[in-house]
Amino acid sequence: MITVTIEASKTYDILIGRGLLDACGEKLGAVLPKVQKVMLVGDDTTMGLYGDRAQASLTAAGYTVSRFVFPHGEENKNLATFAGLLEAMASAGLTRTDCAVALGGGVVGDLTGFAAASFLRGIAVVQIPTTVLAAVDSSVGGKTAVALTAGKNLAGAFHQPSLVLCDPDTFATLPPEIFADGCAEVIKYGFISDRPLLTKLAATDAEKLQAGDGIEEILADCVRDKGIFVKADERDTGVRQLLNLGHTLGHGIEAASRFTISHGSAVAIGMHLVTAGAVRRNLCPPETLTLLDELLTRYRLPKDCPYDAETLYRAALSDKKRAGSKITLVLPTETGRSDLFPTPMEDAKIFIENCM
Ligand code: NAD
Ligand code: GLY
């Protein structure tokens, strides 16, 4: 088992190890000794696959466990599901010293984290990520949210977990395309700040990692990287924005496709585009783009954008990260390093044309 400690407004551990799911009750007890009741939250897929094992471990550790299950899918990360979860917490009689456990991908984690931040003005949450994306990104760092009609993640809170418990054996049941989606975020960390991670990724591939070969070390590298940015800028007003490499254009691509292009695929295309733009502007050497494209292919991710610059510009403009008349672009400047470039909107439009 590997332990990575995150130091933010709250210090907590990320435990990464095969088979950890069956020890979740014991591990929860070690960090939250006052808990008596647990609300176990999952979507129908994750609860169906792993709910009984998690519940058995929690029950064996002496907890009274209630379950909240909702249909899988991004469209259910909404206010109605959020309200249903809060009502379920109240019906189960959870108190301020009890906790919620999120068993699933980023949808489950974001929803459960936000409900935990809100119920009784804040109870503890333990994240048990079951997708690669959730393991390396959404379960760590305390961002929680649900969608409003006006857009994704528009209502939420910063609420750090008390523990993140990652059992990579759960990835065995992921459809290969969802595993690949998470790999886009793994590759992202390498190009933001972690050249050694890129070397490791070039020496393996998606099949080997999904089979569990070397996955723990790679996950640990990613959350260690994320932890540095979370510690430096928990509220996401500065360097944490580097974690958005490929995301501004990626969100535009997702929106333009009406979400038929997955998040990971859109981020992969977004990273390719901004790296190509950075190369064209002589901000970054061409070898960086060559390596990125090789890794995207190796991890079954796309790089070609199906939209023109005008469509992308319009879609990316509605990105919530836009501040006033400037947008902060995250651009690679060498292999294993990216920087923030606050850019006026007019220049951002020209930059997007340069990316194509
Ligand atoms: P997801 O939670 O929808 O999971 C994808 C699909 O995989 C779902 O159908 C789910 O039921 C299924 N699944 C999950 N684990 C499984 C397993 N082990 N075996 C088989 N099927 C499994 O999607 P995701 O990609 O994990 O997360 C995306 C969400 O994360 C988005 O809502 C995004 O906004 C959010 N996010 C949040 C942060 C953050 O910092 N809070 C960061 C990145 C993304
Ligand atoms: N997913 C980006 C962040 O947590 O800041």
Side-chain angles (χ1 to χ4, degrees):
M1 183 178 84
I2 304 177
T3 303
V4 176
T5 301
I6 302 294
E7 294 170 23
S9 49
K10 177 186 207 166
T11 297
Y12 55 95
D13 285 342
I14 300 167
L15 310 182
I16 304 166
R18 300 179 69 175
L20 268 179
L21 180 64
D22 299 308
C24 65
E26 173 203 326
K27 300 295 183 194
L28 187 153
V31 292
L32 293 167
K34 291 187 181 161
V35 169
Q36 294 182 337
K37 292 179 184 159
V38 171
M39 178 58 71
L40 179 64
V41 184
D43 65 31
D44 50 356
T45 304
T46 60
M47 195 66 97
L49 287 166
Y50 300 112
D52 289 350
R53 279 172 57 195
Q55 183 159 359
S57 174
L58 291 164
T59 307
Y63 300 111
T64 302
V65 181
S66 306
R67 286 186 181 203
F68 181 82
V69 188
F70 63 96
H72 67 274
E74 185 68 43
E75 65 279 16
N76 297 309
K77 201 180 93 176
N78 60 27
L79 283 176
T81 317
F82 174 70
L85 176 51
L86 290 177
E87 295 291 357
M89 288 173 166
S91 300
L94 262 65
T95 69
R96 296 275 314 262
T97 51
D98 289 326
C99 88
V101 172
L103 176 67
V107 165
V108 173
D110 277 12
L111 173 85
T112 311
F114 186 32
S118 311
F119 187 67
L120 302 179
R121 300 190 185 86
I123 64 168
V125 63
V126 171
Q127 295 278 353
I128 307 183
T130 64
T131 63
V132 177
L133 181 142
V136 300
D137 195 354
S138 59
S139 66
V140 177
K143 282 188 184 174
T144 72
V146 297
L148 301 181
T149 312
K152 272 182 73 171
N153 297 334
L154 291 185
F158 284 94
H159 188 58
Q160 300 290 345
S162 296
L163 175 70
V164 181
L165 198 151
C166 176
D167 180 347
D169 280 350
T170 60
F171 301 160
T173 50
L174 283 172
E177 64 278 11
I178 296 180
F179 187 88
D181 243 34
C183 290
E185 304 288 354
V186 173
I187 292 169
K188 176 192 84 174
Y189 287 112
F191 283 96
I192 293 171
S193 63
D194 194 343
R195 193 171 184 147
L197 174 61
L198 296 173
T199 307
K200 289 180 197 172
L201 291 173
T204 182
D205 60 34
E207 285 75 18
K208 287 184 189 139
L209 284 186
Q210 189 162 14
D213 188 4
I215 183 90
E216 287 161 271
E217 196 188 327
I218 301 265
L219 298 174
D221 287 346
C222 295
V223 294
R224 247 181 241 117
D225 291 341
K226 180 159 184 179
I228 292 167
F229 293 109
V230 171
K231 181 177 179 183
D233 176 27
E234 185 169 350
R235 290 271 161 171
D236 198 19
T237 57
V239 289
R240 185 168 174 168
Q241 291 172 37
L242 284 167
L243 296 174
N244 291 330
L245 177 65
H247 280 61
T248 301
L249 295 188
H251 289 151
I253 291 163
E254 270 184 291
S257 78
R258 293 180 191 271
F259 296 91
T260 57
I261 297 180
S262 70
H263 179 73
S265 293
V267 167
I269 298 168
M271 286 194 290
H272 169 83
L273 288 174
V274 293
T275 308
V279 169
R280 193 150 299 164
R281 288 201 171 185
N282 290 322
L283 295 169
C284 166
E287 307 85 77
T288 305
L289 181 61
T290 307
L291 178 61
L292 171 67
D293 289 351
E294 273 170 26
L295 289 177
L296 294 180
T297 305
R298 182 174 281 272
Y299 287 87
R300 303 183 299 230
L301 289 158
K303 65 179 174 60
D304 296 324
C305 182
Y307 304 108
D308 61 21
E310 180 63 32
T311 308
L312 210 48
Y313 173 70
R314 268 189 274 115
L317 259 183
S318 64
D319 189 320
K320 67 184 163 66
K321 289 169 191 70
R322 174 168 51 104
S325 61
K326 282 195 172 182
I327 190 163
T328 301
L329 297 176
V330 186
L331 304 179
T333 47
E334 59 186 87
T335 303
R337 182 189 165 138
S338 296
D339 287 315
L340 298 175
F341 292 82
T343 307
M345 279 301 167
E346 308 76 55
D347 289 357
K349 186 170 189 184
I350 297 165
F351 179 76
I352 292 174
E353 284 160 7
N354 290 162
C355 293
M356 294 297 179

